[in-house]
Structure formats: C-alpha cells, structure tokens
Coordinates of all heavy atoms in Angstrom, one line a residue:
S1 N 0.8 -1.2 0.0 CA 0.0 0.0 0.0 C 0.9 1.3 0.0 O 0.6 2.2 -0.8 CB -0.9 0.0 1.2 OG -1.8 -1.1 1.2
F2 N 1.9 1.3 0.9 CA 2.8 2.4 0.9 C 3.5 2.6 -0.5 O 3.7 3.7 -0.9 CB 3.8 2.3 2.0 CG 3.3 2.8 3.3 CD1 3.1 1.9 4.4 CD2 2.9 4.1 3.5 CE1 2.6 2.4 5.6 CE2 2.4 4.6 4.7 CZ 2.3 3.7 5.8
L3 N 3.9 1.5 -1.1 CA 4.6 1.5 -2.4 C 3.7 2.1 -3.4 O 4.1 2.9 -4.3 CB 5.1 0.1 -2.8 CG 5.8 0.1 -4.1 CD1 7.1 1.0 -4.1 CD2 6.2 -1.4 -4.5
F4 N 2.4 1.7 -3.4 CA 1.4 2.2 -4.4 C 1.3 3.7 -4.3 O 1.4 4.5 -5.2 CB 0.1 1.5 -4.1 CG -1.1 2.1 -4.9 CD1 -1.2 1.9 -6.3 CD2 -2.0 3.0 -4.4 CE1 -2.2 2.4 -7.0 CE2 -3.0 3.6 -5.1 CZ -3.1 3.3 -6.4
F5 N 1.1 4.2 -3.0 CA 1.0 5.7 -2.8 C 2.3 6.4 -3.1 O 2.3 7.5 -3.6 CB 0.5 6.0 -1.4 CG -0.9 5.7 -1.2 CD1 -1.3 4.7 -0.3 CD2 -1.9 6.4 -1.9 CE1 -2.6 4.4 -0.1 CE2 -3.2 6.1 -1.7 CZ -3.6 5.1 -0.8
A6 N 3.4 5.8 -2.9 CA 4.7 6.4 -3.2 C 4.9 6.5 -4.7 O 5.3 7.6 -5.2 CB 5.9 5.5 -2.7
L7 N 4.5 5.5 -5.5 CA 4.5 5.6 -6.9 C 3.6 6.6 -7.5 O 3.9 7.3 -8.4 CB 4.3 4.2 -7.5 CG 5.4 3.2 -7.3 CD1 5.0 1.8 -7.8 CD2 6.7 3.6 -7.9
K8 N 2.4 6.7 -6.9 CA 1.4 7.7 -7.3 C 1.8 9.1 -7.0 O 1.4 10.1 -7.6 CB 0.0 7.4 -6.7 CG -0.7 6.2 -7.2 CD -1.1 6.3 -8.6 CE -2.4 7.1 -8.7 NZ -2.9 7.3 -10.0
S9 N 2.7 9.3 -6.0 CA 3.2 10.6 -5.6 C 4.3 11.1 -6.4 O 4.7 12.3 -6.2 CB 3.5 10.6 -4.1 OG 4.8 10.0 -3.9
I10 N 4.9 10.3 -7.3 CA 5.9 10.8 -8.2 C 5.4 11.9 -9.1 O 4.4 11.8 -9.7 CB 6.5 9.7 -9.0 CG1 7.2 8.7 -8.1 CG2 7.5 10.2 -10.1 CD1 7.8 7.4 -8.8
E11 N 6.1 13.1 -9.0 CA 5.6 14.3 -9.8 C 6.6 14.6 -10.9 O 7.8 14.6 -10.7 CB 5.5 15.5 -8.9 CG 4.5 15.3 -7.8 CD 4.5 16.5 -6.8 OE1 5.5 17.2 -6.7 OE2 3.4 16.8 -6.2
S12 N 6.0 14.9 -12.0 CA 6.8 15.4 -13.1 C 6.3 16.8 -13.4 O 5.1 17.0 -13.8 CB 6.6 14.6 -14.4 OG 7.4 15.1 -15.4
I13 N 7.1 17.9 -13.0 CA 6.5 19.2 -13.0 C 7.4 20.2 -13.8 O 8.6 19.9 -14.1 CB 6.4 19.8 -11.6 CG1 7.7 19.8 -10.9 CG2 5.4 19.0 -10.8 CD1 7.7 20.6 -9.6
W14 N 6.8 21.3 -14.2 CA 7.6 22.5 -14.7 C 7.7 23.4 -13.5 O 6.7 23.7 -12.8 CB 6.9 23.2 -15.8 CG 6.9 22.5 -17.1 CD1 5.8 22.0 -17.8 CD2 8.1 22.2 -17.9 NE1 6.3 21.4 -18.9 CE2 7.6 21.6 -19.1 CE3 9.4 22.5 -17.8 CZ2 8.5 21.2 -20.1 CZ3 10.3 22.1 -18.8 CH2 9.8 21.4 -19.9
R15 N 8.9 23.9 -13.2 CA 9.1 24.8 -12.2 C 9.5 26.2 -12.8 O 10.5 26.3 -13.6 CB 10.3 24.4 -11.3 CG 10.7 25.3 -10.2 CD 11.9 24.8 -9.4 NE 12.5 25.9 -8.8 CZ 13.4 25.7 -7.8 NH1 13.6 24.5 -7.3 NH2 13.9 26.7 -7.2
I16 N 8.6 27.2 -12.5 CA 8.9 28.5 -13.1 C 9.3 29.4 -11.9 O 8.5 29.6 -11.0 CB 7.6 29.1 -13.8 CG1 7.2 28.1 -15.0 CG2 7.8 30.5 -14.3 CD1 5.9 28.4 -15.6
N17 N 10.5 29.9 -11.9 CA 11.0 30.7 -10.8 C 10.3 32.1 -10.8 O 10.1 32.7 -11.8 CB 12.5 30.8 -10.9 CG 13.2 29.5 -10.5 OD1 12.6 28.6 -10.0 ND2 14.4 29.4 -10.9
I18 N 10.1 32.6 -9.5 CA 9.7 33.9 -9.3 C 10.7 34.5 -8.3 O 11.5 33.9 -7.8 CB 8.2 34.0 -8.9 CG1 8.0 33.2 -7.6 CG2 7.3 33.6 -9.9 CD1 6.6 33.3 -7.0
V19 N 10.5 35.8 -8.1 CA 11.5 36.5 -7.2 C 11.4 35.9 -5.8 O 10.5 35.2 -5.4 CB 11.2 38.0 -7.2 CG1 11.5 38.7 -8.5 CG2 9.8 38.4 -6.7
N20 N 12.5 36.2 -5.0 CA 12.6 35.8 -3.6 C 12.7 34.3 -3.5 O 12.2 33.7 -2.5 CB 11.4 36.3 -2.7 CG 11.4 37.8 -2.7 OD1 12.4 38.5 -2.7 ND2 10.2 38.4 -2.7
N21 N 13.3 33.7 -4.4 CA 13.6 32.2 -4.4 C 12.3 31.4 -4.2 O 12.3 30.3 -3.6 CB 14.6 31.8 -3.3 CG 15.9 32.4 -3.5 OD1 16.4 32.4 -4.6 ND2 16.6 32.8 -2.5
Q22 N 11.2 31.9 -4.8 CA 10.0 31.1 -4.8 C 9.8 30.6 -6.2 O 10.5 30.9 -7.1 CB 8.8 32.1 -4.5 CG 8.9 32.7 -3.1 CD 8.7 31.7 -2.0 OE1 7.8 30.9 -2.1 NE2 9.4 31.8 -0.9
F23 N 8.8 29.7 -6.4 CA 8.5 29.2 -7.7 C 7.1 28.8 -7.9 O 6.4 28.5 -6.9 CB 9.5 28.0 -8.1 CG 9.3 26.8 -7.2 CD1 8.4 25.8 -7.5 CD2 10.1 26.7 -6.1 CE1 8.3 24.7 -6.7 CE2 10.0 25.6 -5.2 CZ 9.1 24.6 -5.5
I24 N 6.6 28.7 -9.1 CA 5.3 28.2 -9.5 C 5.5 26.8 -9.9 O 6.4 26.5 -10.8 CB 4.7 29.0 -10.6 CG1 4.6 30.5 -10.2 CG2 3.3 28.5 -11.0 CD1 4.3 31.4 -11.4
K25 N 4.7 25.9 -9.4 CA 4.8 24.4 -9.8 C 3.6 24.1 -10.7 O 2.5 24.3 -10.3 CB 4.8 23.6 -8.5 CG 4.9 22.1 -8.8 CD 5.1 21.2 -7.6 CE 4.6 21.5 -6.3 NZ 4.7 20.5 -5.3
I26 N 3.9 23.7 -11.9 CA 2.9 23.3 -12.8 C 3.1 21.8 -13.2 O 4.2 21.5 -13.7 CB 2.9 24.2 -14.1 CG1 2.6 25.6 -13.7 CG2 1.8 23.7 -15.1 CD1 2.7 26.6 -14.8
Y27 N 2.1 21.0 -13.0 CA 2.2 19.6 -13.3 C 2.2 19.4 -14.8 O 1.4 19.9 -15.5 CB 1.0 18.8 -12.7 CG 1.0 18.9 -11.2 CD1 0.1 19.8 -10.6 CD2 1.8 18.2 -10.4 CE1 0.0 19.9 -9.2 CE2 1.8 18.4 -9.0 CZ 0.9 19.2 -8.4 OH 0.9 19.4 -7.1
K28 N 3.2 18.6 -15.3 CA 3.4 18.5 -16.8 C 2.3 17.7 -17.5 O 2.0 18.0 -18.6 CB 4.7 17.8 -17.1 CG 5.9 18.6 -16.8 CD 7.2 17.8 -17.0 CE 7.8 18.2 -18.2 NZ 9.1 17.5 -18.4
K29 N 1.7 16.8 -16.8 CA 0.7 15.9 -17.5 C -0.7 16.0 -17.0 O -1.5 15.1 -17.2 CB 1.2 14.4 -17.3 CG 2.6 14.2 -18.0 CD 3.0 12.8 -17.8 CE 4.4 12.6 -18.5 NZ 4.9 11.3 -18.3
S30 N -1.0 17.1 -16.4 CA -2.4 17.3 -15.9 C -2.9 18.6 -16.5 O -2.5 19.7 -16.1 CB -2.4 17.4 -14.4 OG -3.7 17.6 -13.9
P31 N -3.9 18.6 -17.4 CA -4.6 17.4 -17.9 C -3.8 16.6 -19.0 O -3.9 15.4 -19.0 CB -5.8 18.0 -18.6 CG -5.5 19.4 -18.9 CD -4.5 19.8 -17.9
N32 N -2.9 17.3 -19.8 CA -2.0 16.6 -20.6 C -0.8 17.6 -21.0 O -1.0 18.8 -20.8 CB -2.7 16.0 -21.9 CG -3.3 17.0 -22.8 OD1 -2.6 17.9 -23.2 ND2 -4.6 16.9 -23.0
E33 N 0.2 17.0 -21.6 CA 1.4 17.8 -21.8 C 1.2 18.9 -22.9 O 1.7 20.0 -22.7 CB 2.6 16.9 -22.3 CG 3.2 16.1 -21.2 CD 4.5 15.4 -21.6 OE1 5.4 16.1 -21.9 OE2 4.4 14.2 -21.6
I34 N 0.4 18.7 -23.9 CA 0.1 19.7 -24.9 C -0.6 20.9 -24.3 O -0.2 22.0 -24.6 CB -0.7 19.1 -26.1 CG1 0.1 18.0 -26.8 CG2 -1.2 20.1 -27.1 CD1 -0.6 17.1 -27.8
V35 N -1.7 20.6 -23.5 CA -2.4 21.7 -22.9 C -1.5 22.5 -22.0 O -1.6 23.8 -22.0 CB -3.7 21.2 -22.2 CG1 -4.3 22.2 -21.3 CG2 -4.7 20.6 -23.1
V36 N -0.7 21.8 -21.2 CA 0.2 22.5 -20.2 C 1.2 23.4 -20.9 O 1.4 24.5 -20.6 CB 0.8 21.5 -19.3 CG1 1.9 22.1 -18.4 CG2 -0.2 20.8 -18.4
N37 N 1.9 22.8 -21.9 CA 2.9 23.6 -22.7 C 2.3 24.8 -23.4 O 2.9 25.8 -23.4 CB 3.6 22.7 -23.6 CG 4.6 21.7 -22.9 OD1 5.0 21.9 -21.8 ND2 4.8 20.6 -23.6
D38 N 1.1 24.6 -23.9 CA 0.4 25.7 -24.6 C 0.0 26.8 -23.6 O 0.2 28.0 -23.8 CB -0.9 25.2 -25.3 CG -1.5 26.2 -26.1 OD1 -0.8 26.9 -26.9 OD2 -2.8 26.4 -26.0
F39 N -0.4 26.4 -22.4 CA -0.8 27.4 -21.3 C 0.5 28.2 -20.9 O 0.4 29.4 -20.8 CB -1.4 26.6 -20.1 CG -1.6 27.6 -19.0 CD1 -2.8 28.3 -18.9 CD2 -0.7 27.7 -17.9 CE1 -3.1 29.2 -17.9 CE2 -1.0 28.6 -16.9 CZ -2.2 29.3 -16.9

C-alpha cells in the first residue's frame, strides 16, 4: 500500500521561478502535456 501511494506521488513538473527564491509548480501531465505547454 505504501509503495502504491509512493509511486502515485511521483511528480513530473515544470518549475517557473519567481522573485525571492519562490517558484510556481505546474504539473506537466495534468490534464496533458500539450495543454500544459500551450498554457
């Protein structure tokens, strides 16, 4: 069960940096890569 949740928690994200060492996290495949890259 822990392995299942660990595998589901793997994130593939785009990190867009903002000032003060902060960033915006955008999930690459939610809803899909084409929509995310276009956005």
Side-chain angles (χ1 to χ4, degrees):
S1 299
F2 277 115
L3 180 61
F4 172 77
F5 286 114
L7 292 172
K8 290 292 279 178
S9 74
I10 293 175
E11 296 177 334
S12 181
I13 62 170
W14 286 115
R15 175 181 159 162
I16 299 171
N17 288 344
I18 56 178
V19 294
N20 298 326
N21 293 323
Q22 301 289 321
F23 62 90
I24 303 166
K25 180 169 29 173
I26 300 178
Y27 301 101
K28 287 174 105 174
K29 297 180 180 178
S30 177
N32 63 58
E33 285 189 64
I34 294 169
V35 170
V36 170
N37 288 336
D38 188 47
F39 177 84

